[in-house]
Amino acid sequence: MLEDLSIKDFALIDEATLEFTNGFTVLSGETGAGKSILIGALSFLLGGRGGIEQIRTGCGEAHVSGTFSVENKEAQRWLSDHDIELEDGRILLRRQIRSTGKSSAWIGGSPVTRSELVEFSSYLVDIHGQHEHQSLMRVSEHRRFLDSYAGITNEVAAFTSVYTELCQKRQFLSELNSNDATRRQKIDLLSFAVKEIEDAKLKAGEDEELEAEEVRLSSFERLYSGIEDINALLSGSEESVVPILKKVRQAVSHATELDKELSPIFDRVEAAFYELSDISEEFKSYERGLIFDPERLSVVQERLETLHKLKKKYASSTSAPIAEVISYCKSAKEQLEKLGGTDADRSALVKEIESLSHTAYKQAVAISASRAAAAFRMSVGVEQILQKLGMAGTKFSVNVVKTDDPEMKKCTPYGMDEVEFLISANPGSPLLPLAKIASGGELSRVMLAIKTILAQSDMVSTLIFDEIDTGIGGQIAVSVGDHMKMLASKKQILCITHLASIAVYADTQIKIQKAVSDGTTSTKVRVLSEEERVLEIARMLSGDAASHESLEHARMMLKKFGG
């Protein structure tokens, strides 16, 4: 359960701290006040996308943190596996985004990656935004909802792993069985490449070393002339740097004998003299070792030409590192090993494929049976909830079509079933694909029903709905509010709404409002008192929070549906 949330410099929110309780919490505010910013901040905290546009204008970084009580056994196991300890059954999540675009995250006191944050937070919170209505329009998502309800997500993942391996081995066998001429041609090409590369006896990084040596050798005259000039300037005559510095050292030494306060300066002059003298000697030594070697230059250039040709043939470009050619050679040898497989290898591979196919088929059959059983229960459950949400007479069906395929050649990575939601919104009408006939308001309620039955078997303790009331109103909104209240007896519910008939059912109401101060716009967030709720509900009812009629209507609704 989410216990508190702190936000600083996120979007239009300069600073906000909120405490949450069990039950049903509604977030309300006028259009454009920034209601979704609060959900956006929470989504960011849970591992959602982070971008510099989320940082409040004029600030260098944004921070969001939240404390969660953790009762979910899976979440507790995850923390244990990652050596993170709970404190009194609670954990603090923190995340920040800097103006450089870099984001950081912590679970407890431990830094974590974004993917780790997403994985852990999925055990705590389920956020349903308006965009998720569209997932009901994608038939591919229907299977995922059914699998979650059936509790077979892990089984499906295990099947996917086996099925993927099966497909890979079948592909490999197909390559082995391809026409011998094609296979032989490929073997010849790979063999030639391996021999050519191995004969070159390549070393990682040698191209860079040789290029540097070529520059040095081919520029010998300019280099030698430059070193001569340096040595002349340093110590070539009495007017050079080192002899002059020697005289300076002697003069400072005499001055220091007369005034000891000059001792620190003398030390520095002396250090400079010895350092430059040492540098001068090193340049002289370097000059004595400079020898023009045209033969070595020729060897280097020939070797670089060899490397250039190999890169042109086996690397991504001639400017690529020689390591790419070495990597290509390794890959070619692995391919040769596979392509040169004996009949015994091929026979063993066939047996592996048969075994994997048998295993995959058994798993697929078991998954299919679980889906069929769960589909009926889910159909009934969603239908019953839809009756309560103002869709009386609606028929809902989770349609599962099974393709019995013992050889596992017509399956998908998720099994042998096609899953699609069907609906008949009017009595007497045939069941048709949900994606084709449902309106926006119907989709909202279908999604709410699905989330509700998933919540019954889901260990996630907090559900967040971002404007679930899209496309509804009147008595239907009252039904939705009543249903949310019922759901809040089992889960912590947070909901953004613009409908008073939903808001009055809440145990707690948070108002989001936009304010302008000194020409700067910000979003303020606060929990409303009882009297403030009356004003807010009155505003939501009629847009007028001041009239006596609106206030009385608001009080009546809160008394009837709230508490």
Side-chain angles (χ1 to χ4, degrees):
M1 184 190 89
L2 175 63
E3 294 190 348
D4 59 61
L5 183 68
S6 294
I7 305 168
K8 183 172 178 59
D9 298 328
F10 186 93
L12 292 176
I13 299 177
D14 51 2
E15 190 166 6
T17 301
L18 291 168
E19 293 186 359
F20 296 89
T21 61
N22 281 317
F24 184 17
T25 297
V26 152
L27 292 82
S28 64
E30 294 183 0
T31 301
K35 298 186 290 298
S36 290
I37 292 177
L38 190 64
I39 300 301
L42 185 54
S43 177
F44 171 72
L45 174 63
L46 300 174
R49 184 191 62 82
I52 58 174
E53 69 278 1
Q54 294 170 320
I55 302 173
R56 182 171 166 78
T57 301
C59 299
E61 55 189 28
H63 300 261
V64 183
S65 64
T67 304
F68 293 82
S69 58
V70 182
E71 299 176 358
N72 186 323
K73 299 298 182 185
E74 292 293 330
Q76 292 173 0
R77 187 178 300 112
W78 191 96
L79 292 173
S80 177
D81 290 343
H82 290 77
D83 296 322
I84 301 174
E85 294 184 359
L86 288 168
E87 293 186 10
D88 298 324
R90 294 172 173 81
I91 197 74
L92 176 67
L93 304 189
R94 292 184 293 136
R95 195 169 179 212
Q96 66 179 32
I97 178 79
R98 301 184 184 89
S99 57
T100 59
K102 182 180 179 182
S103 67
S104 304
W106 295 265
I107 298 178
S110 302
V112 294
T113 64
R114 178 171 171 258
S115 60
E116 288 174 328
L117 183 61
V118 170
E119 183 181 4
F120 174 68
S121 66
S122 67
Y123 297 120
L124 305 178
V125 179
D126 180 13
I127 297 182
H128 171 70
Q130 281 181 293
H131 67 280
E132 279 193 66
H133 294 336
Q134 299 307 312
S135 64
L136 288 176
M137 305 294 281
R138 298 191 296 271
V139 175
S140 60
E141 291 292 294
H142 297 180
R143 177 204 56 81
R144 186 176 63 83
F145 283 122
L146 175 60
D147 288 349
S148 179
Y149 177 72
I152 57 172
T153 301
N154 291 337
E155 288 83 347
V156 174
F159 169 82
T160 300
S161 178
V162 172
Y163 181 78
T164 301
E165 185 180 0
L166 174 62
C167 291
Q168 290 172 343
K169 290 188 180 296
R170 277 180 172 159
Q171 177 63 29
F172 182 36
L173 179 62
S174 176
E175 291 178 6
L176 287 179
N177 291 335
S178 64
N179 117 19
D180 284 341
T182 302
R183 191 164 68 93
R184 175 49 55 189
Q185 184 181 29
K186 190 170 185 179
I187 288 174
D188 289 344
L189 288 171
L190 291 171
S191 297
F192 178 83
V194 169
K195 184 177 186 306
E196 186 177 25
I197 295 171
E198 288 187 335
D199 286 349
K201 296 182 172 22
L202 303 178
K203 296 179 182 178
E206 71 168 308
D207 48 343
E208 295 178 357
E209 294 175 5
L210 289 170
E211 286 167 359
E213 187 176 359
E214 184 197 25
V215 170
R216 187 168 63 251
L217 289 170
S218 61
S219 306
F220 178 81
E221 290 185 5
R222 282 184 293 159
L223 177 61
Y224 191 86
S225 175
I227 296 299
E228 276 189 324
D229 291 343
I230 291 171
N231 282 329
L233 289 168
L234 285 173
S235 58
S237 68
E238 287 299 316
E239 302 304 318
S240 299
V241 172
V242 173
I244 289 176
L245 189 56
K246 183 177 181 181
K247 293 177 182 178
V248 172
R249 174 177 171 273
Q250 291 172 345
V252 175
S253 175
H254 294 320
T256 302
E257 291 176 0
L258 301 175
D259 187 352
K260 297 301 181 184
E261 288 188 6
L262 294 174
S263 293
I265 298 177
F266 172 73
D267 291 342
R268 291 165 61 190
V269 171
E270 188 171 43
F273 168 71
Y274 284 124
E275 177 68 14
L276 276 172
S277 296
D278 187 55
I279 290 172
S280 176
E281 288 303 318
E282 287 194 23
F283 271 110
K284 288 178 182 178
S285 176
Y286 181 82
E287 182 180 355
R288 288 192 294 271
L290 277 176
I291 300 174
F292 179 57
D293 189 348
E295 290 184 4
R296 176 57 185 168
L297 176 59
S298 178
V299 169
V300 168
Q301 289 175 334
E302 286 179 10
R303 181 61 173 173
L304 283 172
E305 180 61 24
T306 298
L307 300 186
H308 179 83
K309 290 178 180 178
L310 291 174
K311 288 180 181 182
K312 190 173 182 180
K313 293 171 72 174
Y314 306 117
S316 59
S317 71
T318 54
S319 60
I322 199 65
E324 281 194 18
V325 178
I326 296 172
S327 177
Y328 179 89
C329 183
K330 180 181 177 182
S331 174
K333 290 165 75 172
E334 291 173 352
Q335 291 181 62
L336 280 171
E337 187 177 343
K338 292 178 181 179
L339 290 170
T342 64
D343 290 338
D345 294 330
R346 187 182 285 102
S347 177
L349 182 58
V350 169
K351 289 182 179 178
E352 286 181 31
I353 290 172
E354 289 175 351
S355 176
L356 281 170
S357 182
H358 180 67
T359 300
Y361 180 70
K362 285 179 62 178
Q363 290 178 330
V365 168
I367 288 170
S368 188
S370 297
R371 282 176 178 155
F376 176 76
R377 299 195 309 273
M378 185 175 183
S379 299
V380 173
V382 170
E383 203 170 279
Q384 289 175 342
I385 295 171
L386 290 177
Q387 306 299 315
K388 299 175 183 177
L389 295 178
M391 294 179 69
T394 296
K395 297 295 181 184
F396 181 87
S397 175
V398 181
N399 189 42
V400 180
V401 178
K402 175 182 174 183
T403 302
D404 195 10
D405 182 15
E407 294 186 358
M408 302 303 294
K409 291 185 177 180
K410 298 179 182 178
C411 289
T412 72
Y414 308 106
M416 56 174 60
D417 305 304
E418 293 183 2
V419 179
E420 184 172 12
F421 295 162
L422 306 178
I423 192 170
S424 169
N426 301 301
S429 299
L431 287 163
L432 294 173
L434 174 69
K436 292 183 178 180
I437 66 168
S439 66
E442 288 169 339
L443 283 175
S444 294
R445 283 175 283 170
V446 170
M447 180 59 84
L448 178 56
I450 290 172
K451 289 285 184 178
T452 299
I453 64 169
L454 288 178
Q456 293 169 358
S457 57
D458 195 348
M459 294 297 290
V460 171
S461 60
T462 300
L463 300 179
I464 299 175
F465 296 96
D466 185 357
E467 299 197 16
I468 193 69
D469 52 19
T470 301
I472 64 174
Q475 186 57 43
I476 294 174
V478 173
S479 300
V480 170
D482 183 54
H483 182 77
M484 300 281 272
K485 180 76 170 182
M486 178 276 296
L487 188 58
S489 65
K490 301 175 182 177
K491 304 280 183 179
Q492 181 188 39
I493 305 295
L494 276 64
C495 173
I496 288 181
T497 185
H498 65 279
L499 298 178
S501 45
I502 291 179
V504 291
Y505 282 95
D507 301 301
T508 305
Q509 187 160 351
I510 295 172
K511 184 173 183 179
I512 297 95
Q513 58 188 137
K514 190 175 290 185
V516 179
S517 177
D518 296 328
T520 301
T521 302
S522 63
T523 293
K524 303 297 182 183
V525 184
R526 61 191 177 87
V527 177
L528 298 180
S529 66
E530 289 186 16
E531 191 54 36
E532 287 174 330
R533 273 196 81 187
V534 172
L535 293 171
E536 177 64 3
I537 295 297
R539 181 198 65 77
M540 296 173 75
L541 283 168
S542 63
D544 181 6
S547 72
H548 176 74
E549 292 79 5
S550 295
L551 292 172
E552 285 303 310
H553 190 188
R555 288 192 179 92
M556 181 273 293
M557 290 185 69
L558 284 168
K559 183 177 181 180
K560 181 178 180 180
F561 301 114

